[in-house]
Amino acid sequence: MELYLYIALFAPLVGSLFAGLFGASPKTLVTGVVNSSLLFASFVASSILLVHVLNGETVHVEMMTWMATGNLYIPFGFVVDQVSVTMMMVVTVVSTIVHIYSIGYMDHDKGFNRFFSYLSAFVFSMMVLVMSDNFAGLFIGWEGVGLCSWLLIGFWYHKETATWAANEAFIMNRIADLGMLIGIFLIYWNTGTLQYDKAFAIMPTLDMTTLIYIGIFLFVGAMGKSAQFPLHTWLADAMEGPTPVSALIHAATMVTAGVYLVVRANPLYHLVPEIGLFIASLGAFVAMFAASMALVNRDMKRIIAYSTLSQLGYMFAAAGLGAYWVALFHLMAHAFFKALLFLGAGNVMHAMNDELDPFKMGGLRKKMVGTFIMMTLASIALAGVFPLAGFFSKDTILEVGFVEHHYVIYTVLLLTAGLTAFYSFRLVALIFHGEERYKLFGFHPHEAYKFMLFAMSPLAILAVIAGSFKTTYFDMVTKLLPETEYHIHSHVVEWVMILGTQAFVIAAIWYAYKKYINFKGEDKEFEKRLCYKILINQYYIPYFYEEYISKPYKELSDILWRKVDLKIVDATVDLIAMTIYKTGENTRTMQNGNLSSMLRWMVAGIVILLSLAVAFGLAVRYSDEITSVLSGLGV
């Protein structure tokens, strides 16, 4: 099994290096084919490892020693267990499909080869993150996905908005990563190891204050990667990258890393339930917060991005309440229909010359039947309608909140489910139904390449059937995670909740269709309202960051540069350099090559040395007298 582990891990790296060889060359179709094939090999190897884990076995290898000094020992170690293999399957399935899809999507892009190099490196970094058996290895993958996200979000670097979004994502994640790094230092300082199994075994012996600090700092890192409030603004702005990148970031890599960290560190968070309750409360808030912004947004990709942010809130709510397997199950189910939504959005963008405003579309189902069917299926799954995948995972999260008596969290998540259904089908109605508004703007839409639709079809199937894996998944993953099942004791209450939730969701879908299926123009009256202005401006949080953090910081930096750096630091360095230079200028005449002059300087030097020697001798000889005189003077 060790061989399959190495194939699953390193196949994406080989693909990245191969594509990198042609990075500066014109488009080479072979790079897309080779990289996609290598990702498929990684998927096959992960599938074989999944079967091995289903049989109750795990794989743990140490390739080599990485750090060994004093009591510190960190190997390049990797583990395939019930949690990591789940993430491996999600990452490889979605990544393989995204790679194949990208062959068509990036067909005319000059950076075709460079794109595939970055994309495969992104996958490799995520595989390192989820397969490492220690916090140091996880942090390497953590920083790797941060770097690759910067490269991919800013892939079209000639666009100022793309480079700005890439820098925003990178800097905001660096802020959060400092917190995570402090957490890792605290783990080593208090346990003497960074290996998961050893560190978690020692943690119950630590005092509560230390555990709380470790839990907080690790979660700060998770907040950055998974874009939780207040470190959330980068996620929607990251839509400046190519759409396949958005699909990968939102479904399988980057943002799922924070949820994985909390799930992986479940022995720690089990010991500090107060931190868990905070995580759950923040997750419920973010779920509602993000969904509300999606209600009015007019950018197709940003709406789907806010949807991701909202669903991440669901995952953290489940993990914070101790339902780690539920959080991971929703992560898996969400990956399939969210990737499908983004790739469908990519098809629409290509058909509409990169137009993102759904109000300029309408009636596209006639021109894009395949994309219409797949995006509708993905939206139904996202809304949590039975019997698609989203129902089974999302409904279980609602049950967790109810069973654990956190009724406020339950209510917030229930309301969010209705909002999710509304904005999802608002988007579907505006894009695919109603009048063909695109004709007014001169667009001539067309369906995507058939092989792109074929590549998307496994995601459509999984979006429908993934919920049926729930029992098998539970039996597997609860061998490592807490095996709590969440059932409402009263069947009547359970059925009322399920049917009530479904009715609420379907009513939201019906209202979205009713309002937008024949929408002919903009709602000017609604756009004048305060609530619309608040939501469309993201609660003015980006404005607050810009006006009260970024600008003051920039002004302070400018003042320090002009007043301190130039006038003090640079002036001091320049003074030292000038003093040395002038001293050299004034003394260079000593080395003029004239023998008489050299002899005079030699005599002068001898006189000075003799004078110093005599002075030193007299000082030693009369040291007692000198001391008594100085004492009399009070020195």
Side-chain angles (χ1 to χ4, degrees):
M1 287 297 132
E2 187 174 336
L3 175 62
Y4 295 114
L5 183 150
Y6 291 140
I7 293 173
L9 176 62
F10 290 111
L13 176 62
V14 174
S16 176
L17 296 174
F18 176 80
L21 293 175
F22 306 97
S25 305
K27 173 192 168 184
T28 307
L29 184 62
V30 69
T31 59
V33 174
V34 169
N35 280 41
S36 300
S37 301
L38 287 168
L39 260 294
F40 182 73
S42 181
F43 160 68
V44 171
S46 298
S47 301
I48 295 171
L49 291 168
L50 172 63
V51 173
H52 187 67
V53 172
L54 284 171
N55 292 328
E57 303 292 332
T58 60
V59 182
H60 190 185
V61 301
E62 290 188 5
M63 286 180 56
M64 63 187 77
T65 298
W66 177 27
M67 294 184 188
T69 175
N71 295 325
L72 175 64
Y73 174 72
I74 303 175
F76 276 116
F78 302 96
V79 63
V80 178
D81 56 20
Q82 291 78 5
V83 172
S84 60
V85 80
T86 301
M87 293 296 297
M88 290 166 63
M89 289 302 298
V90 170
V91 172
T92 54
V93 167
V94 175
S95 300
T96 301
I97 291 169
V98 168
H99 273 69
I100 297 171
Y101 176 91
S102 298
I103 295 174
Y105 189 89
M106 302 297 290
D107 184 40
H108 302 295
D109 198 286
K110 294 180 180 179
F112 184 88
N113 301 331
R114 180 168 57 91
F115 177 80
F116 275 92
S117 180
Y118 294 167
L119 202 64
S120 293
F122 201 8
V123 179
F124 170 68
S125 298
M126 191 65 186
M127 294 294 277
V128 170
L129 190 156
V130 301
M131 294 175 68
S132 291
D133 68 349
N134 60 82
F135 283 101
L138 178 144
F139 192 72
I140 291 176
W142 195 272
E143 294 304 300
V145 295
L147 171 62
C148 293
S149 67
W150 178 74
L151 292 170
L152 287 165
I153 294 169
F155 181 77
W156 289 317
Y157 52 83
H158 55 277
K159 294 171 56 181
E160 185 178 349
T161 52
T163 56
W164 189 92
N167 290 335
E168 180 192 22
F170 192 79
I171 293 169
M172 196 161 285
N173 274 274
R174 296 293 71 70
I175 295 169
D177 291 353
L178 175 60
M180 182 180 175
L181 198 57
I182 293 172
I184 292 174
F185 283 148
L186 287 174
I187 291 172
Y188 177 72
W189 185 267
N190 290 278
T191 66
T193 181
L194 292 177
Q195 300 292 115
Y196 293 145
D197 50 355
K198 295 178 182 178
F200 293 144
I202 296 172
M203 282 182 183
T205 66
L206 303 179
D207 64 273
M208 185 58 67
T209 302
T210 300
L211 292 174
I212 288 174
Y213 278 125
I214 293 173
I216 289 173
F217 282 116
L218 287 183
F219 182 62
V220 168
M223 287 171 63
K225 275 291 180 288
S226 293
Q228 295 297 283
F229 178 87
L231 304 176
H232 65 282
T233 54
W234 69 266
L235 190 62
D237 293 334
M239 296 303 96
E240 291 292 336
T243 301
V245 174
S246 303
L248 203 55
I249 288 177
H250 287 250
T253 60
M254 190 71 174
V255 298
T256 59
V259 179
Y260 171 78
L261 174 61
V262 174
V263 172
R264 175 58 77 181
N266 73 89
L268 164 65
Y269 288 105
H270 176 73
L271 298 172
V272 283
E274 300 87 353
I275 303 298
L277 182 58
F278 170 77
I279 292 173
S281 301
L282 180 64
F285 166 75
V286 170
M288 174 73 82
F289 172 72
S292 66
M293 292 187 288
L295 293 175
V296 300
N297 202 277
R298 295 188 50 159
D299 184 309
M300 176 173 56
K301 287 177 67 177
R302 281 178 175 265
I303 293 170
I304 304 173
Y306 286 131
S307 160
T308 299
L309 184 54
S310 182
Q311 298 308 304
L312 287 167
Y314 273 93
M315 297 173 207
F316 278 114
L321 295 178
Y324 303 103
W325 72 267
V326 180
L328 198 59
F329 183 57
H330 189 51
L331 184 155
M332 177 183 69
H334 170 264
F336 303 137
F337 52 75
K338 184 50 57 68
L340 185 60
L341 271 175
F342 267 114
L343 297 184
N347 291 349
V348 174
M349 286 179 63
H350 263 201
M352 299 290 293
N353 297 332
D354 292 334
E355 178 58 57
L356 288 167
D357 188 350
F359 285 84
K360 296 180 180 180
M361 300 177 189
L364 286 180
R365 74 183 187 280
K366 299 175 184 178
K367 299 288 186 178
M368 308 179 70
V369 177
T371 300
F372 162 64
I373 293 172
M374 291 189 185
M375 287 193 72
T376 302
L377 281 174
S379 298
I380 295 172
L382 174 60
V385 177
F386 179 84
L388 274 68
F391 165 79
F392 293 94
S393 57
K394 191 180 292 185
D395 188 70
T396 307
I397 294 174
L398 291 172
E399 286 184 22
V400 171
F402 191 86
V403 170
E404 295 291 335
H405 307 295
H406 293 288
Y407 300 117
V408 174
I409 292 176
Y410 166 79
T411 303
V412 171
L413 294 179
L414 177 62
L415 292 173
T416 303
L419 297 180
T420 302
F422 177 83
Y423 68 67
S424 297
F425 282 88
R426 168 182 176 263
L427 189 63
V428 171
L430 287 171
I431 294 174
F432 296 107
H433 297 281
E435 295 182 359
E436 297 171 338
R437 296 182 299 276
Y438 62 83
K439 292 181 178 179
L440 300 175
F441 301 95
F443 295 121
H444 302 283
H446 55 83
E447 184 60 281
Y449 296 132
K450 289 184 179 179
F451 83 87
M452 294 170 69
L453 294 176
F454 178 77
M456 293 166 61
S457 57
L459 292 175
I461 296 170
L462 288 168
V464 175
I465 69 170
S468 61
F469 304 150
K470 182 177 177 181
T471 302
T472 303
Y473 167 79
F474 174 81
D475 293 337
M476 178 191 77
V477 81
T478 51
K479 292 177 182 177
L480 183 63
L481 299 177
E483 55 181 298
T484 308
E485 287 196 73
Y486 298 91
H487 292 303
I488 298 167
H489 298 300
S490 171
H491 291 294
V492 175
V493 174
E494 183 176 10
W495 277 106
V496 168
M497 284 178 55
I498 292 174
L499 294 176
T501 303
Q502 289 295 290
F504 182 46
V505 167
I506 292 171
I509 293 172
W510 172 80
Y511 181 65
Y513 266 119
K514 180 183 177 182
K515 185 174 178 62
Y516 291 103
I517 196 168
N518 292 312
F519 199 73
K520 297 181 180 180
E522 300 178 6
D523 191 347
K524 295 294 185 181
E525 289 300 318
F526 176 66
E527 292 178 7
K528 293 177 182 178
R529 295 179 183 178
L530 178 62
C531 61
Y532 175 85
K533 292 180 180 179
I534 291 173
L535 294 177
I536 200 67
N537 288 289
Q538 305 173 56
Y539 293 90
Y540 292 96
I541 292 172
Y543 173 81
F544 174 83
Y545 287 169
E546 179 67 22
E547 292 296 321
Y548 299 103
I549 297 178
S550 297
K551 285 186 178 179
Y553 180 80
K554 183 179 179 181
E555 290 173 3
L556 177 62
S557 300
D558 187 61
I559 292 170
L560 291 176
W561 171 64
R562 286 186 286 102
K563 302 294 185 182
V564 178
D565 201 35
L566 290 179
K567 295 188 176 182
I568 298 177
V569 177
D570 283 2
T572 302
V573 172
D574 291 343
L575 178 62
I576 294 171
M578 185 59 66
T579 301
I580 294 172
Y581 179 79
K582 289 295 183 182
T583 302
E585 281 285 306
N586 294 329
T587 56
R588 63 194 289 180
T589 55
M590 296 170 59
Q591 303 291 334
N592 58 9
N594 185 284
L595 182 60
S596 299
S597 177
M598 299 289 282
L599 287 173
R600 284 195 295 272
W601 280 113
M602 185 184 298
V603 171
I606 291 172
V607 171
I608 292 171
L609 287 174
L610 288 175
S611 300
L612 290 174
V614 171
F616 179 74
L618 291 173
V620 172
R621 174 68 180 82
Y622 298 103
S623 58
D624 294 338
E625 289 80 352
I626 294 172
T627 302
S628 61
V629 171
L630 292 174
S631 299
L633 295 173
V635 178

